[in-house]
Amino acid sequence: MSKMMKAVKSVVGQPLVLHEIERPTPGPQQILIKVAAAGVNRPDIIQRAGRYPPPPGAPETMGLEVAGTVETVGGDVTKWKPGDRVCALLPGGGYAEYALAHEGSAMPIPEPLSFVEAAGLPETVLTVWNNVFEMGRLKSGETLLIHGGASGIGTTAIQMAAAWGAKVYATAGTDPKCRLCEKLGAVRGINYRTEDFEAVMKGEGGVDVILDMVGAPYFDKNLTVLKDLGRLCYIAFLHGSKVEGDLTRLMLKRLTVTGSTLRIRTDAYKAKLAEGVVTHVWPMIAQGRFRPLIDQVFTLAEAEAAHARMEGGEHAGKIIMQVGG
Ligand SMILES: NC(=O)c1ccc[n+]([C@@H]2O[C@H](COP(=O)([O-])OP(=O)(O)OC[C@H]3O[C@@H](n4cnc5c(N)ncnc54)[C@H](OP(=O)(O)O)[C@@H]3O)[C@@H](O)[C@H]2O)c1
């Protein structure tokens, strides 16, 4: 069996192309996955631009999530065996024929999903679970506002929160994307190019939790629309990280502002998150109340086109690359 594999090579300023590299060998607590499909995420675009370097010890190859079949396992692995069908969160290396994952970052593929659908789960579901449900403490019956509702993260968050019993609002950049958010479970999509979410949400009585990837321009408006004891959860700042706002609102309403980034967390932390997701979110999928929305499927050799699709901003939901035959 060849010990080489195809992987996507990324050099700043150059097109993505396949090249041959050595197939990795699992460490004691790692599994080697024969990749069937790999998810494309906005952080990949940022990494490729040279603004999001892989953390120490992570592969240079991009790719934060895959689905496939366990090929081999490290000596201390107890959870998986060759042949198991898994999806997994990775510190990198997913744009390849084989990828390494810590055993705790892998999860069974929930019925009835395909490899392509399952490859779109780990990065988004773990991020949403961590930020909206754990840190944001979203409860059934509460109101959630998601900025970027048509994104991979947003389409996941809308469905998970609606299945949880929350009343969901979402901002998006076109009317069709707003209608898509509503189809996925939002009570109202808000077109951020033609409407002011602050005015809309004030009219709706305010918000308990906000999931924000936009950053600076929305900070003060977010503080305004949050109800007493509201939670503002940051996962990105696509339009700036330096904020200005009135802290009086934060104090008078006893608000909580949180932020996190998943990739730098420890394997032990990610394993706990994955356990929470398998317990709480996989049943939603089995019951048909949540299904990852796939925008478009490319092959690994088409990585450049997959990235162009995301950078063009017309996508809604997850972009996936199919790997192998
Ligand atoms: N912290 C973490 O652990 C973590 C983990 C994963 C991802 N992330 C971050 O989460 C974000 C989403 O990731 P993704 O992979 O789902 O990317 P994506 O599909 O490309 O989503 C980006 C979204 O941003 C929205 N957007 C841009 N400007 C906006 C504005 N002014 N108001 C409202 N929405 C706006 C876009 O909306 P339209 O297309 O409708 O214009 C688009 O839906 C990225 O910034 C990523 O870095 C963070």
Side-chain angles (χ1 to χ4, degrees):
M1 212 165 25
S2 160
K3 291 287 180 229
M4 301 300 281
M5 67 172 186
K6 290 195 176 69
V8 174
K9 185 176 188 179
S10 170
V11 179
V12 177
Q14 287 183 24
L16 299 175
V17 287
L18 286 180
H19 69 153
E20 291 254 327
I21 59 172
E22 209 169 307
R23 189 192 298 183
T25 308
Q29 286 189 292
Q30 289 179 319
I31 59 175
L32 180 71
I33 301 169
K34 185 173 195 302
V35 178
V40 177
N41 291 280
R42 177 69 50 176
D44 305 340
I45 307 284
I46 305 171
Q47 175 174 336
R48 182 183 176 188
R51 289 184 279 114
Y52 189 42
E60 284 296 318
T61 307
M62 289 180 289
L64 300 173
E65 57 185 358
V66 295
T69 311
V70 176
E71 180 82 2
T72 54
V73 301
D76 295 343
V77 169
T78 54
K79 222 176 142 189
W80 307 106
K81 58 179 186 331
D84 285 343
R85 287 159 54 90
V86 294
C87 56
L89 181 76
L90 314 176
Y95 288 15
E97 290 179 313
Y98 292 86
L100 290 178
H102 186 273
E103 67 167 331
S105 297
M107 298 165 283
I109 293 184
E111 290 291 341
L113 299 191
S114 64
F115 281 133
V116 163
E117 289 173 303
L121 290 173
E123 175 73 7
T124 47
V125 173
L126 267 68
T127 299
V128 172
W129 178 252
N130 191 203
N131 288 276
V132 175
F133 292 86
E134 291 191 332
M135 292 196 290
R137 306 184 306 279
L138 180 71
K139 294 182 207 61
S140 178
E142 285 193 323
T143 301
L144 170 70
L145 172 63
I146 299 162
H147 290 306
S151 62
I153 293 275
T155 53
T156 301
I158 292 172
Q159 294 186 76
M160 282 169 58
W164 198 250
K167 190 174 179 190
V168 183
Y169 294 81
T171 58
T174 65
D175 286 342
K177 284 188 178 182
C178 288
R179 300 297 82 76
L180 173 74
C181 293
E182 290 162 4
K183 209 170 140 210
L184 293 173
V187 292
R188 167 98 149 80
I190 304 164
N191 184 335
Y192 68 79
R193 293 183 207 277
T194 58
E195 294 181 279
D196 177 9
F197 80 84
E198 183 182 0
V200 174
M201 293 318 302
K202 271 185 178 166
E204 298 287 320
V207 188
D208 296 295
V209 181
I210 300 176
L211 178 65
D212 192 357
M213 59 184 74
V214 175
Y218 287 177
F219 181 68
D220 199 49
K221 288 172 178 236
N222 284 337
L223 295 187
T224 304
V225 299
L226 279 167
K227 295 182 190 174
D228 280 4
L229 297 173
R231 287 84 76 195
L232 172 53
C233 308
Y234 281 100
I235 55 165
F237 41 83
L238 286 165
H239 295 296
S241 62
K242 300 279 192 296
V243 301
E244 202 169 298
D246 185 350
L247 293 178
T248 314
R249 287 195 272 277
L250 202 129
M251 292 163 70
L252 290 179
K253 294 197 275 185
R254 304 179 304 286
L255 305 178
T256 305
V257 180
T258 72
S260 78
T261 178
L262 183 57
R263 197 177 187 186
I264 57 164
R265 304 308 303 266
T266 62
D267 288 332
Y269 186 86
K270 290 173 186 169
K272 259 200 102 46
L273 268 184
E275 272 174 31
V277 157
V278 170
T279 304
H280 296 285
V281 184
W282 269 209
M284 293 177 186
I285 297 175
Q287 292 156 13
R289 291 186 295 149
F290 160 43
R291 191 154 193 152
L293 180 75
I294 306 302
D295 173 77
Q296 203 169 326
V297 182
F298 296 84
T299 65
L300 198 58
E302 295 168 333
E304 183 62 35
H307 273 220
R309 173 86 187 147
M310 180 164 273
E311 288 183 82
E314 284 182 16
H315 69 292
K318 297 287 302 189
I319 297 167
I320 304 291
M321 291 186 296
Q322 229 162 354
V323 185

